[in-house]
Amino acid sequence: MMPAMAKTRFSFIFFVYIIVKCNGVTVDTISSDLKLKNVDRNIDISSQLVKITSKITLENTGRAPVKNFLYAAESVTKDNLAFVGFKDNNNKDLRVVETSVKGYDDVKFWRVELKEAVNAASTVVVTAETVLTKALLPYPTAITQQEDQLVKYNGNLYFFSPYYVASQKTTVIVNTKSVESFTKVKPYSQQDGTISYGAYSNIGPFTEKELSIHYKNNSPFLTVTRIERLIEVSHWGNIAVEETIEIEHTGAKLKGPFSRYDYQQDHHSGPASVRSYKTLLPASAADVYYRDTNGNISTSNMKVKKDSVELDLRPRYPLFGGWRTHYTLGYNVPSYEYLYHSGNEYLLKMRVIDHIFDDMQVDELVTKIILPEGSTNIKLNIPYPVSRLPDNLHYTYLDTKGRPVVSFTKRNVVENHIQDFQLRYTFPRLLMLQEPLLVVGFLYMLFLCVIIYVRLDFSIHKAEHPHKD
């Protein structure tokens, strides 16, 4: 028989195993057979986002083929990390799965699945792309109308990895010569808006060293604090899209009064403010409207291009640090470009979110899809993790049971998330006759009531007719 202590230990391990399996958590180990032969890293901090592209040469020093490897993010950046993606030498996307490693609770890990296994003593080159939001902090935090905006970037001088790195270089793109200060670790060089570090050799796993750069950055620091995207599908040839957008300037706050006269007279006044920005809509977008709580905003232009519709949106007032605006943008697109069907089975394929402005960052996205009344067997597929909201019903004219609404939300969204979702559902085509029959029935009853009213006499007493002599 099993001793009591062994039974307790076995029960505990089994309990932990059940918890891990039920929560869908994967646990990996760090292979000692892998090392990074070379890493060439570019850090672009010229906009409000931090875009890091790393070309990694992975080497298998073991005897068995390797099919995957781990990518890690240090505790300083893991909360700001909005997007992680990998491509192989043929520019094909690699599958990335979030995972964990026992003993490294403060580190965020992803397992990258390679297209082909790396044999012993062989190498493979992959490219990692990461985007960080709110990693650039205004310093000072408040400026006057005439001052430039200075920001500070704090990162890791070395490529953070669970593997040994034989050689690495880092190039930081600031796109300005106005650099107040930066970390100086030899060898380094500064030239034409870039700062280069390395090559550094023989860097151990999980090595961190502060990289700090203080520089001028007047690019638009706009944050969409919340966007609610409503997509209404009609089988009569149209899909209506409406977005309710809340935007805040999250750069250095305006210190002192705002002078409209100076702002209009001096083109260099308010260098960190935002006068306008460009939004890109699908090429087939029509009936575009742009309004806020006061009504239509006429200070905007629309340009129809070959592959998109470009909107030059200009708010009612310029946006300085700490200022906000709220508006609604809507348009229609033909359903045949996004809705496919075979019999009673339908497939809707549209973007999760559209381009709002260059280098956009979105705190919260809520997308709602209103399907035709009578839709069933709804299945949603999105290329990255989102939080699914409870389904509900939406009622409009000529509805009897209500139209099903599929909703989901996602936080920390950037341009890399402009990807298509797929929504499959079943809709009996005979139900398309429901609305016309309701209209015909209503008109029939209306005319019938008129005929009855005209033909019959509903008076209480009959009218007296004059007697004839």
Side-chain angles (χ1 to χ4, degrees), residues 45-49 134-138 149-152 215 217-223 247-252 272-274 320-323 357 359 361:
I45 55 175
S46 59
S47 66
Q48 68 169 340
L49 301 175
K134 299 183 179 179
L136 302 178
L137 302 178
Q149 178 175 260
L150 299 177
V151 301
K152 203 173 221 182
Y215 64 105
N217 188 342
N218 283 325
S219 61
F221 271 57
L222 287 181
T223 299
I247 288 183
E248 180 182 0
H249 192 304
T250 50
S273 65
V274 178
F320 286 84
W323 292 20
F357 47 80
D359 299 315
Q361 60 182 23

PDB file of all heavy atoms in Angstrom, residues 45-49 134-138 149-152 215 217-223 247-252 272-274 320-323 357 359 361:
ATOM      1  N   ILE A  45      12.609  54.723 -31.699  1.00  0.00           N
ATOM      2  CA  ILE A  45      11.872  55.518 -30.707  1.00  0.00           C
ATOM      3  C   ILE A  45      11.589  56.914 -31.262  1.00  0.00           C
ATOM      4  O   ILE A  45      11.499  57.885 -30.517  1.00  0.00           O
ATOM      5  CB  ILE A  45      12.651  55.604 -29.377  1.00  0.00           C
ATOM      6  CG1 ILE A  45      14.072  56.139 -29.589  1.00  0.00           C
ATOM      7  CG2 ILE A  45      12.706  54.246 -28.705  1.00  0.00           C
ATOM      8  CD1 ILE A  45      14.841  56.362 -28.293  1.00  0.00           C
ATOM      9  N   SER A  46      11.425  57.003 -32.585  1.00  0.00           N
ATOM     10  CA  SER A  46      11.195  58.296 -33.225  1.00  0.00           C
ATOM     11  C   SER A  46       9.737  58.729 -33.146  1.00  0.00           C
ATOM     12  O   SER A  46       9.427  59.892 -33.386  1.00  0.00           O
ATOM     13  CB  SER A  46      11.641  58.253 -34.686  1.00  0.00           C
ATOM     14  OG  SER A  46      10.927  57.251 -35.394  1.00  0.00           O
ATOM     15  N   SER A  47       8.805  57.803 -32.843  1.00  0.00           N
ATOM     16  CA  SER A  47       7.395  58.150 -32.704  1.00  0.00           C
ATOM     17  C   SER A  47       6.997  57.976 -31.246  1.00  0.00           C
ATOM     18  O   SER A  47       7.850  57.946 -30.362  1.00  0.00           O
ATOM     19  CB  SER A  47       6.547  57.266 -33.621  1.00  0.00           C
ATOM     20  OG  SER A  47       6.606  55.914 -33.199  1.00  0.00           O
ATOM     21  N   GLN A  48       5.695  57.842 -30.963  1.00  0.00           N
ATOM     22  CA  GLN A  48       5.262  57.622 -29.585  1.00  0.00           C
ATOM     23  C   GLN A  48       5.367  56.154 -29.180  1.00  0.00           C
ATOM     24  O   GLN A  48       5.246  55.820 -28.008  1.00  0.00           O
ATOM     25  CB  GLN A  48       3.827  58.101 -29.400  1.00  0.00           C
ATOM     26  CG  GLN A  48       2.783  57.266 -30.138  1.00  0.00           C
ATOM     27  CD  GLN A  48       1.375  57.618 -29.716  1.00  0.00           C
ATOM     28  OE1 GLN A  48       1.153  58.190 -28.642  1.00  0.00           O
ATOM     29  NE2 GLN A  48       0.402  57.297 -30.551  1.00  0.00           N
ATOM     30  N   LEU A  49       5.606  55.258 -30.165  1.00  0.00           N
ATOM     31  CA  LEU A  49       5.760  53.841 -29.899  1.00  0.00           C
ATOM     32  C   LEU A  49       7.240  53.459 -29.887  1.00  0.00           C
ATOM     33  O   LEU A  49       8.056  54.133 -30.515  1.00  0.00           O
ATOM     34  CB  LEU A  49       5.029  53.005 -30.952  1.00  0.00           C
ATOM     35  CG  LEU A  49       3.530  53.234 -31.105  1.00  0.00           C
ATOM     36  CD1 LEU A  49       2.989  52.412 -32.270  1.00  0.00           C
ATOM     37  CD2 LEU A  49       2.792  52.891 -29.821  1.00  0.00           C
ATOM     38  N   LYS A 134       3.446  53.358 -24.432  1.00  0.00           N
ATOM     39  CA  LYS A 134       3.645  54.123 -23.202  1.00  0.00           C
ATOM     40  C   LYS A 134       4.981  53.814 -22.537  1.00  0.00           C
ATOM     41  O   LYS A 134       5.101  53.821 -21.308  1.00  0.00           O
ATOM     42  CB  LYS A 134       2.489  53.863 -22.230  1.00  0.00           C
ATOM     43  CG  LYS A 134       1.139  54.297 -22.802  1.00  0.00           C
ATOM     44  CD  LYS A 134       0.001  54.105 -21.836  1.00  0.00           C
ATOM     45  CE  LYS A 134      -1.302  54.581 -22.461  1.00  0.00           C
ATOM     46  NZ  LYS A 134      -2.452  54.405 -21.572  1.00  0.00           N
ATOM     47  N   ALA A 135       5.986  53.537 -23.363  1.00  0.00           N
ATOM     48  CA  ALA A 135       7.338  53.309 -22.850  1.00  0.00           C
ATOM     49  C   ALA A 135       8.185  54.571 -22.938  1.00  0.00           C
ATOM     50  O   ALA A 135       9.315  54.583 -22.441  1.00  0.00           O
ATOM     51  CB  ALA A 135       8.014  52.177 -23.633  1.00  0.00           C
ATOM     52  N   LEU A 136       7.673  55.626 -23.574  1.00  0.00           N
ATOM     53  CA  LEU A 136       8.360  56.917 -23.660  1.00  0.00           C
ATOM     54  C   LEU A 136       7.651  57.892 -22.730  1.00  0.00           C
ATOM     55  O   LEU A 136       6.469  58.187 -22.906  1.00  0.00           O
ATOM     56  CB  LEU A 136       8.348  57.443 -25.099  1.00  0.00           C
ATOM     57  CG  LEU A 136       8.979  56.531 -26.150  1.00  0.00           C
ATOM     58  CD1 LEU A 136       8.860  57.157 -27.535  1.00  0.00           C
ATOM     59  CD2 LEU A 136      10.438  56.261 -25.827  1.00  0.00           C
ATOM     60  N   LEU A 137       8.369  58.403 -21.748  1.00  0.00           N
ATOM     61  CA  LEU A 137       7.770  59.268 -20.739  1.00  0.00           C
ATOM     62  C   LEU A 137       8.204  60.716 -20.960  1.00  0.00           C
ATOM     63  O   LEU A 137       9.403  60.989 -21.103  1.00  0.00           O
ATOM     64  CB  LEU A 137       8.183  58.815 -19.339  1.00  0.00           C
ATOM     65  CG  LEU A 137       7.819  57.370 -18.982  1.00  0.00           C
ATOM     66  CD1 LEU A 137       8.328  57.022 -17.585  1.00  0.00           C
ATOM     67  CD2 LEU A 137       6.321  57.147 -19.085  1.00  0.00           C
ATOM     68  N   PRO A 138       7.246  61.675 -21.007  1.00  0.00           N
ATOM     69  CA  PRO A 138       7.615  63.095 -21.151  1.00  0.00           C
ATOM     70  C   PRO A 138       8.470  63.549 -19.975  1.00  0.00           C
ATOM     71  O   PRO A 138       8.159  63.268 -18.817  1.00  0.00           O
ATOM     72  CB  PRO A 138       6.257  63.809 -21.160  1.00  0.00           C
ATOM     73  CG  PRO A 138       5.256  62.768 -21.525  1.00  0.00           C
ATOM     74  CD  PRO A 138       5.790  61.478 -20.978  1.00  0.00           C
ATOM     75  N   GLN A 149       8.866  69.219 -26.987  1.00  0.00           N
ATOM     76  CA  GLN A 149       8.622  68.120 -26.049  1.00  0.00           C
ATOM     77  C   GLN A 149       9.865  67.242 -25.942  1.00  0.00           C
ATOM     78  O   GLN A 149      10.402  66.788 -26.950  1.00  0.00           O
ATOM     79  CB  GLN A 149       7.421  67.291 -26.510  1.00  0.00           C
ATOM     80  CG  GLN A 149       7.120  66.090 -25.634  1.00  0.00           C
ATOM     81  CD  GLN A 149       5.856  65.366 -26.069  1.00  0.00           C
ATOM     82  OE1 GLN A 149       4.797  65.531 -25.493  1.00  0.00           O
ATOM     83  NE2 GLN A 149       5.976  64.547 -27.092  1.00  0.00           N
ATOM     84  N   LEU A 150      10.320  66.998 -24.720  1.00  0.00           N
ATOM     85  CA  LEU A 150      11.430  66.096 -24.453  1.00  0.00           C
ATOM     86  C   LEU A 150      10.885  64.841 -23.781  1.00  0.00           C
ATOM     87  O   LEU A 150      10.043  64.928 -22.884  1.00  0.00           O
ATOM     88  CB  LEU A 150      12.473  66.765 -23.555  1.00  0.00           C
ATOM     89  CG  LEU A 150      13.137  68.038 -24.101  1.00  0.00           C
ATOM     90  CD1 LEU A 150      14.079  68.630 -23.069  1.00  0.00           C
ATOM     91  CD2 LEU A 150      13.874  67.757 -25.395  1.00  0.00           C
ATOM     92  N   VAL A 151      11.375  63.694 -24.228  1.00  0.00           N
ATOM     93  CA  VAL A 151      10.919  62.432 -23.651  1.00  0.00           C
ATOM     94  C   VAL A 151      12.123  61.596 -23.237  1.00  0.00           C
ATOM     95  O   VAL A 151      13.248  61.836 -23.682  1.00  0.00           O
ATOM     96  CB  VAL A 151      10.040  61.630 -24.634  1.00  0.00           C
ATOM     97  CG1 VAL A 151       8.819  62.424 -25.041  1.00  0.00           C
ATOM     98  CG2 VAL A 151      10.845  61.201 -25.854  1.00  0.00           C
ATOM     99  N   LYS A 152      11.859  60.603 -22.407  1.00  0.00           N
ATOM    100  CA  LYS A 152      12.913  59.741 -21.903  1.00  0.00           C
ATOM    101  C   LYS A 152      12.549  58.283 -22.189  1.00  0.00           C
ATOM    102  O   LYS A 152      11.417  57.857 -21.953  1.00  0.00           O
ATOM    103  CB  LYS A 152      13.077  59.950 -20.394  1.00  0.00           C
ATOM    104  CG  LYS A 152      14.433  59.552 -19.855  1.00  0.00           C
ATOM    105  CD  LYS A 152      14.559  59.955 -18.392  1.00  0.00           C
ATOM    106  CE  LYS A 152      15.939  60.522 -18.106  1.00  0.00           C
ATOM    107  NZ  LYS A 152      16.107  60.869 -16.688  1.00  0.00           N
ATOM    108  N   TYR A 215      15.728  62.858 -25.160  1.00  0.00           N
ATOM    109  CA  TYR A 215      15.838  63.519 -26.462  1.00  0.00           C
ATOM    110  C   TYR A 215      14.543  64.246 -26.816  1.00  0.00           C
ATOM    111  O   TYR A 215      13.514  64.107 -26.128  1.00  0.00           O
ATOM    112  CB  TYR A 215      16.145  62.479 -27.546  1.00  0.00           C
ATOM    113  CG  TYR A 215      15.042  61.460 -27.730  1.00  0.00           C
ATOM    114  CD1 TYR A 215      14.196  61.511 -28.823  1.00  0.00           C
ATOM    115  CD2 TYR A 215      14.846  60.442 -26.795  1.00  0.00           C
ATOM    116  CE1 TYR A 215      13.175  60.591 -28.982  1.00  0.00           C
ATOM    117  CE2 TYR A 215      13.839  59.518 -26.957  1.00  0.00           C
ATOM    118  CZ  TYR A 215      13.009  59.596 -28.046  1.00  0.00           C
ATOM    119  OH  TYR A 215      11.998  58.682 -28.202  1.00  0.00           O
ATOM    120  N   ASN A 217      11.250  64.918 -28.964  1.00  0.00           N
ATOM    121  CA  ASN A 217      10.308  64.104 -29.741  1.00  0.00           C
ATOM    122  C   ASN A 217       8.978  64.849 -29.804  1.00  0.00           C
ATOM    123  O   ASN A 217       8.187  64.827 -28.858  1.00  0.00           O
ATOM    124  CB  ASN A 217      10.131  62.728 -29.097  1.00  0.00           C
ATOM    125  CG  ASN A 217       9.332  61.786 -29.966  1.00  0.00           C
ATOM    126  OD1 ASN A 217       8.629  62.198 -30.872  1.00  0.00           O
ATOM    127  ND2 ASN A 217       9.431  60.493 -29.687  1.00  0.00           N
ATOM    128  N   ASN A 218       8.721  65.521 -30.933  1.00  0.00           N
ATOM    129  CA  ASN A 218       7.493  66.282 -31.124  1.00  0.00           C
ATOM    130  C   ASN A 218       6.451  65.525 -31.950  1.00  0.00           C
ATOM    131  O   ASN A 218       5.495  66.123 -32.440  1.00  0.00           O
ATOM    132  CB  ASN A 218       7.787  67.626 -31.810  1.00  0.00           C
ATOM    133  CG  ASN A 218       8.389  68.641 -30.858  1.00  0.00           C
ATOM    134  OD1 ASN A 218       8.048  68.672 -29.678  1.00  0.00           O
ATOM    135  ND2 ASN A 218       9.287  69.472 -31.364  1.00  0.00           N
ATOM    136  N   SER A 219       6.637  64.226 -32.118  1.00  0.00           N
ATOM    137  CA  SER A 219       5.652  63.453 -32.865  1.00  0.00           C
ATOM    138  C   SER A 219       4.335  63.401 -32.082  1.00  0.00           C
ATOM    139  O   SER A 219       4.325  63.587 -30.861  1.00  0.00           O
ATOM    140  CB  SER A 219       6.171  62.040 -33.120  1.00  0.00           C
ATOM    141  OG  SER A 219       6.398  61.370 -31.903  1.00  0.00           O
ATOM    142  N   PRO A 220       3.208  63.165 -32.757  1.00  0.00           N
ATOM    143  CA  PRO A 220       1.904  63.158 -32.060  1.00  0.00           C
ATOM    144  C   PRO A 220       1.826  62.066 -31.000  1.00  0.00           C
ATOM    145  O   PRO A 220       1.967  60.886 -31.313  1.00  0.00           O
ATOM    146  CB  PRO A 220       0.901  62.901 -33.197  1.00  0.00           C
ATOM    147  CG  PRO A 220       1.610  63.289 -34.447  1.00  0.00           C
ATOM    148  CD  PRO A 220       3.051  62.998 -34.216  1.00  0.00           C
ATOM    149  N   PHE A 221       1.624  62.468 -29.760  1.00  0.00           N
ATOM    150  CA  PHE A 221       1.427  61.516 -28.667  1.00  0.00           C
ATOM    151  C   PHE A 221      -0.075  61.394 -28.413  1.00  0.00           C
ATOM    152  O   PHE A 221      -0.605  61.892 -27.423  1.00  0.00           O
ATOM    153  CB  PHE A 221       2.171  61.980 -27.416  1.00  0.00           C
ATOM    154  CG  PHE A 221       3.586  61.487 -27.340  1.00  0.00           C
ATOM    155  CD1 PHE A 221       4.491  61.763 -28.357  1.00  0.00           C
ATOM    156  CD2 PHE A 221       4.032  60.744 -26.269  1.00  0.00           C
ATOM    157  CE1 PHE A 221       5.792  61.311 -28.303  1.00  0.00           C
ATOM    158  CE2 PHE A 221       5.347  60.278 -26.201  1.00  0.00           C
ATOM    159  CZ  PHE A 221       6.228  60.558 -27.228  1.00  0.00           C
ATOM    160  N   LEU A 222      -0.762  60.712 -29.338  1.00  0.00           N
ATOM    161  CA  LEU A 222      -2.205  60.537 -29.242  1.00  0.00           C
ATOM    162  C   LEU A 222      -2.521  59.119 -28.788  1.00  0.00           C
ATOM    163  O   LEU A 222      -1.949  58.156 -29.296  1.00  0.00           O
ATOM    164  CB  LEU A 222      -2.879  60.796 -30.594  1.00  0.00           C
ATOM    165  CG  LEU A 222      -2.976  62.240 -31.074  1.00  0.00           C
ATOM    166  CD1 LEU A 222      -3.682  62.295 -32.409  1.00  0.00           C
ATOM    167  CD2 LEU A 222      -3.711  63.101 -30.056  1.00  0.00           C
ATOM    168  N   THR A 223      -3.445  59.008 -27.861  1.00  0.00           N
ATOM    169  CA  THR A 223      -3.885  57.709 -27.373  1.00  0.00           C
ATOM    170  C   THR A 223      -5.393  57.619 -27.491  1.00  0.00           C
ATOM    171  O   THR A 223      -6.114  58.514 -27.021  1.00  0.00           O
ATOM    172  CB  THR A 223      -3.477  57.501 -25.903  1.00  0.00           C
ATOM    173  OG1 THR A 223      -2.057  57.546 -25.794  1.00  0.00           O
ATOM    174  CG2 THR A 223      -3.970  56.155 -25.394  1.00  0.00           C
ATOM    175  N   ILE A 247     -10.250  60.244 -27.712  1.00  0.00           N
ATOM    176  CA  ILE A 247      -8.809  60.433 -27.909  1.00  0.00           C
ATOM    177  C   ILE A 247      -8.270  61.423 -26.878  1.00  0.00           C
ATOM    178  O   ILE A 247      -8.930  62.417 -26.555  1.00  0.00           O
ATOM    179  CB  ILE A 247      -8.514  60.941 -29.343  1.00  0.00           C
ATOM    180  CG1 ILE A 247      -8.743  59.816 -30.353  1.00  0.00           C
ATOM    181  CG2 ILE A 247      -7.098  61.459 -29.468  1.00  0.00           C
ATOM    182  CD1 ILE A 247      -8.408  60.195 -31.768  1.00  0.00           C
ATOM    183  N   GLU A 248      -7.064  61.131 -26.391  1.00  0.00           N
ATOM    184  CA  GLU A 248      -6.390  62.022 -25.441  1.00  0.00           C
ATOM    185  C   GLU A 248      -4.949  62.234 -25.874  1.00  0.00           C
ATOM    186  O   GLU A 248      -4.288  61.298 -26.334  1.00  0.00           O
ATOM    187  CB  GLU A 248      -6.425  61.431 -24.037  1.00  0.00           C
ATOM    188  CG  GLU A 248      -5.752  62.308 -22.985  1.00  0.00           C
ATOM    189  CD  GLU A 248      -5.753  61.684 -21.604  1.00  0.00           C
ATOM    190  OE1 GLU A 248      -6.282  60.567 -21.461  1.00  0.00           O
ATOM    191  OE2 GLU A 248      -5.212  62.314 -20.672  1.00  0.00           O
ATOM    192  N   HIS A 249      -4.482  63.469 -25.753  1.00  0.00           N
ATOM    193  CA  HIS A 249      -3.067  63.766 -25.971  1.00  0.00           C
ATOM    194  C   HIS A 249      -2.321  63.397 -24.696  1.00  0.00           C
ATOM    195  O   HIS A 249      -2.493  64.028 -23.654  1.00  0.00           O
ATOM    196  CB  HIS A 249      -2.881  65.250 -26.295  1.00  0.00           C
ATOM    197  CG  HIS A 249      -1.522  65.600 -26.818  1.00  0.00           C
ATOM    198  ND1 HIS A 249      -0.358  65.316 -26.122  1.00  0.00           N
ATOM    199  CD2 HIS A 249      -1.129  66.207 -27.962  1.00  0.00           C
ATOM    200  CE1 HIS A 249       0.681  65.730 -26.815  1.00  0.00           C
ATOM    201  NE2 HIS A 249       0.252  66.281 -27.938  1.00  0.00           N
ATOM    202  N   THR A 250      -1.494  62.347 -24.763  1.00  0.00           N
ATOM    203  CA  THR A 250      -0.825  61.820 -23.570  1.00  0.00           C
ATOM    204  C   THR A 250       0.637  62.258 -23.482  1.00  0.00           C
ATOM    205  O   THR A 250       1.423  61.643 -22.765  1.00  0.00           O
ATOM    206  CB  THR A 250      -0.910  60.283 -23.560  1.00  0.00           C
ATOM    207  OG1 THR A 250      -0.477  59.772 -24.827  1.00  0.00           O
ATOM    208  CG2 THR A 250      -2.330  59.816 -23.295  1.00  0.00           C
ATOM    209  N   GLY A 251       0.995  63.321 -24.211  1.00  0.00           N
ATOM    210  CA  GLY A 251       2.344  63.857 -24.115  1.00  0.00           C
ATOM    211  C   GLY A 251       2.478  64.806 -22.943  1.00  0.00           C
ATOM    212  O   GLY A 251       1.667  64.794 -22.000  1.00  0.00           O
ATOM    213  N   ALA A 252       3.505  65.640 -22.980  1.00  0.00           N
ATOM    214  CA  ALA A 252       3.729  66.613 -21.911  1.00  0.00           C
ATOM    215  C   ALA A 252       2.545  67.572 -21.826  1.00  0.00           C
ATOM    216  O   ALA A 252       2.091  68.107 -22.836  1.00  0.00           O
ATOM    217  CB  ALA A 252       5.018  67.383 -22.174  1.00  0.00           C
ATOM    218  N   ALA A 272       4.442  70.455 -30.185  1.00  0.00           N
ATOM    219  CA  ALA A 272       4.034  69.121 -29.731  1.00  0.00           C
ATOM    220  C   ALA A 272       2.526  68.913 -29.804  1.00  0.00           C
ATOM    221  O   ALA A 272       2.035  67.850 -29.445  1.00  0.00           O
ATOM    222  CB  ALA A 272       4.519  68.890 -28.299  1.00  0.00           C
ATOM    223  N   SER A 273       1.787  69.919 -30.264  1.00  0.00           N
ATOM    224  CA  SER A 273       0.333  69.796 -30.345  1.00  0.00           C
ATOM    225  C   SER A 273      -0.062  69.039 -31.613  1.00  0.00           C
ATOM    226  O   SER A 273       0.746  68.829 -32.516  1.00  0.00           O
ATOM    227  CB  SER A 273      -0.326  71.177 -30.339  1.00  0.00           C
ATOM    228  OG  SER A 273       0.030  71.884 -31.515  1.00  0.00           O
ATOM    229  N   VAL A 274      -1.310  68.643 -31.680  1.00  0.00           N
ATOM    230  CA  VAL A 274      -1.836  67.904 -32.830  1.00  0.00           C
ATOM    231  C   VAL A 274      -2.962  68.722 -33.459  1.00  0.00           C
ATOM    232  O   VAL A 274      -3.996  68.952 -32.833  1.00  0.00           O
ATOM    233  CB  VAL A 274      -2.358  66.509 -32.414  1.00  0.00           C
ATOM    234  CG1 VAL A 274      -2.938  65.773 -33.613  1.00  0.00           C
ATOM    235  CG2 VAL A 274      -1.245  65.700 -31.769  1.00  0.00           C
ATOM    236  N   PHE A 320      -3.502  69.662 -27.112  1.00  0.00           N
ATOM    237  CA  PHE A 320      -2.267  69.774 -26.338  1.00  0.00           C
ATOM    238  C   PHE A 320      -2.258  68.676 -25.275  1.00  0.00           C
ATOM    239  O   PHE A 320      -3.256  67.963 -25.097  1.00  0.00           O
ATOM    240  CB  PHE A 320      -2.165  71.152 -25.677  1.00  0.00           C
ATOM    241  CG  PHE A 320      -1.829  72.264 -26.625  1.00  0.00           C
ATOM    242  CD1 PHE A 320      -2.811  72.894 -27.366  1.00  0.00           C
ATOM    243  CD2 PHE A 320      -0.512  72.678 -26.793  1.00  0.00           C
ATOM    244  CE1 PHE A 320      -2.503  73.914 -28.242  1.00  0.00           C
ATOM    245  CE2 PHE A 320      -0.191  73.699 -27.665  1.00  0.00           C
ATOM    246  CZ  PHE A 320      -1.187  74.319 -28.394  1.00  0.00           C
ATOM    247  N   GLY A 321      -1.128  68.548 -24.587  1.00  0.00           N
ATOM    248  CA  GLY A 321      -0.995  67.515 -23.576  1.00  0.00           C
ATOM    249  C   GLY A 321      -2.083  67.585 -22.524  1.00  0.00           C
ATOM    250  O   GLY A 321      -2.316  68.642 -21.935  1.00  0.00           O
ATOM    251  N   GLY A 322      -2.774  66.457 -22.317  1.00  0.00           N
ATOM    252  CA  GLY A 322      -3.858  66.398 -21.343  1.00  0.00           C
ATOM    253  C   GLY A 322      -5.216  66.748 -21.910  1.00  0.00           C
ATOM    254  O   GLY A 322      -6.230  66.562 -21.226  1.00  0.00           O
ATOM    255  N   TRP A 323      -5.288  67.255 -23.163  1.00  0.00           N
ATOM    256  CA  TRP A 323      -6.566  67.613 -23.783  1.00  0.00           C
ATOM    257  C   TRP A 323      -7.181  66.385 -24.434  1.00  0.00           C
ATOM    258  O   TRP A 323      -6.492  65.471 -24.892  1.00  0.00           O
ATOM    259  CB  TRP A 323      -6.369  68.714 -24.808  1.00  0.00           C
ATOM    260  CG  TRP A 323      -5.967  70.038 -24.219  1.00  0.00           C
ATOM    261  CD1 TRP A 323      -5.406  70.255 -22.990  1.00  0.00           C
ATOM    262  CD2 TRP A 323      -6.075  71.318 -24.837  1.00  0.00           C
ATOM    263  NE1 TRP A 323      -5.162  71.585 -22.812  1.00  0.00           N
ATOM    264  CE2 TRP A 323      -5.557  72.269 -23.922  1.00  0.00           C
ATOM    265  CE3 TRP A 323      -6.543  71.755 -26.067  1.00  0.00           C
ATOM    266  CZ2 TRP A 323      -5.510  73.631 -24.209  1.00  0.00           C
ATOM    267  CZ3 TRP A 323      -6.502  73.109 -26.359  1.00  0.00           C
ATOM    268  CH2 TRP A 323      -5.996  74.035 -25.435  1.00  0.00           C
ATOM    269  N   PHE A 357      -4.807  56.478 -36.976  1.00  0.00           N
ATOM    270  CA  PHE A 357      -3.739  57.416 -37.325  1.00  0.00           C
ATOM    271  C   PHE A 357      -2.437  56.646 -37.262  1.00  0.00           C
ATOM    272  O   PHE A 357      -2.366  55.538 -36.701  1.00  0.00           O
ATOM    273  CB  PHE A 357      -3.713  58.647 -36.397  1.00  0.00           C
ATOM    274  CG  PHE A 357      -3.804  58.336 -34.936  1.00  0.00           C
ATOM    275  CD1 PHE A 357      -2.691  57.915 -34.216  1.00  0.00           C
ATOM    276  CD2 PHE A 357      -5.008  58.458 -34.261  1.00  0.00           C
ATOM    277  CE1 PHE A 357      -2.769  57.623 -32.879  1.00  0.00           C
ATOM    278  CE2 PHE A 357      -5.103  58.163 -32.909  1.00  0.00           C
ATOM    279  CZ  PHE A 357      -3.979  57.745 -32.217  1.00  0.00           C
ATOM    280  N   ASP A 359       1.045  55.185 -36.211  1.00  0.00           N
ATOM    281  CA  ASP A 359       1.623  54.848 -34.909  1.00  0.00           C
ATOM    282  C   ASP A 359       0.584  54.967 -33.789  1.00  0.00           C
ATOM    283  O   ASP A 359       0.854  55.499 -32.707  1.00  0.00           O
ATOM    284  CB  ASP A 359       2.826  55.755 -34.600  1.00  0.00           C
ATOM    285  CG  ASP A 359       3.922  55.588 -35.618  1.00  0.00           C
ATOM    286  OD1 ASP A 359       4.233  54.446 -35.967  1.00  0.00           O
ATOM    287  OD2 ASP A 359       4.468  56.620 -36.081  1.00  0.00           O
ATOM    288  N   GLN A 361      -2.002  54.004 -30.785  1.00  0.00           N
ATOM    289  CA  GLN A 361      -2.075  53.122 -29.629  1.00  0.00           C
ATOM    290  C   GLN A 361      -3.467  53.267 -29.030  1.00  0.00           C
ATOM    291  O   GLN A 361      -3.976  54.372 -28.858  1.00  0.00           O
ATOM    292  CB  GLN A 361      -0.977  53.416 -28.612  1.00  0.00           C
ATOM    293  CG  GLN A 361      -0.971  54.820 -28.023  1.00  0.00           C
ATOM    294  CD  GLN A 361       0.187  55.013 -27.059  1.00  0.00           C
ATOM    295  OE1 GLN A 361       1.191  54.332 -27.106  1.00  0.00           O
ATOM    296  NE2 GLN A 361       0.050  55.981 -26.163  1.00  0.00           N
TER     297      GLN A 361
END
